[in-house]
Each structure stands twice: as C-alpha cells, then as structure tokens.
Amino acid sequence: MASIPVDEIARRMRCDPETAVKLVLTAGGDGAFIDEDVWLNYLRAISKRLSNKKLKGGRGIIVCVRDDFKCRYCGSEKDLTFDHVIPKCKGGGSGYRNLALACWLCN
C-alpha cells in the first residue's frame, strides 16, 4: 500500500496546506502522510453523507470537515446545506473559503 504525502492531498483537493493537514488527520493519517486505501475509504464515506450532489467533490468534503459536519451558525447537525457566505450575486466565489455548512433554517 502506498502512502500519500500531505502536499499531494493539497494538490488533489485544491486546498491550502493547513486544510490538507486537517483532512489527513481527520482521515486517520499522521499529519504528513496517509495510506492511499485509508484516504479513498474516507472520501467514499464522506461522499455518502453529502446530500448536495453538486458539491460531492473536493469542495464539499473540505467544507464538511472544516465545519465538523455542523451548521456554522447554530451547530445543528440536521438538514445541512451549503451556504455562500458572500452571495454569488454580490461577487462571492464558489471556492471552499466562501462556503459554509448551514442547516435549512439558517440558510
């Protein structure tokens, strides 16, 4: 089994190194490397938890892990959606830095 370095995770997920380290630690790696099979199983498990089909890729996973699968505004773990912190119509982007997990009521 091959190990993946954290800088490769950052490249694959298109995120900054600090976020990649958090992803690797959350998935069960040592912060510098993670076993490839463990990483793939982790991604599959998170993808199953995401209801928004548009964000099942890297952005959705990064936002969920960063926000600990809780609404960023009230802490609820039910009926989660993705919220654009700065709305797209007001110039906000679609990158993970402008996305937050929000429950249906807060969004």
Side-chain angles (χ1 to χ4, degrees):
M1 292 183 220
S3 290
I4 306 171
V6 73
D7 58 336
E8 176 65 14
I9 297 295
R11 187 190 66 74
R12 288 183 187 181
M13 300 297 288
R14 297 184 190 139
C15 65
D16 57 80
E18 294 81 24
T19 302
V21 168
K22 182 174 182 181
L23 288 168
V24 167
L25 289 171
T26 304
D30 65 6
F33 293 93
I34 187 164
D35 179 76
E36 189 166 12
D37 289 338
V38 172
W39 178 247
L40 293 175
N41 288 334
Y42 175 71
L43 293 179
R44 285 186 201 108
I46 288 181
S47 290
K48 287 180 184 176
R49 292 179 69 177
L50 297 177
S51 60
N52 188 330
K53 304 287 186 213
K54 291 182 181 178
L55 289 173
K56 272 200 167 189
R59 288 179 298 158
I61 291 169
I62 291 168
V63 172
C64 287
V65 170
R66 182 196 65 208
D67 294 349
D68 295 322
F69 287 94
K70 295 177 185 171
C71 174
R72 186 185 273 187
Y73 308 111
C74 73
S76 173
E77 295 180 12
K78 296 184 181 190
D79 299 320
L80 296 175
T81 62
F82 293 97
D83 176 38
H84 286 88
V85 178
I86 301 171
K88 290 174 79 173
C89 66
K90 295 188 177 183
S94 293
Y96 71 92
R97 289 184 178 100
N98 191 44
L99 293 173
L101 275 181
C103 69
W104 183 79
L105 289 172
C106 291
N107 196 5

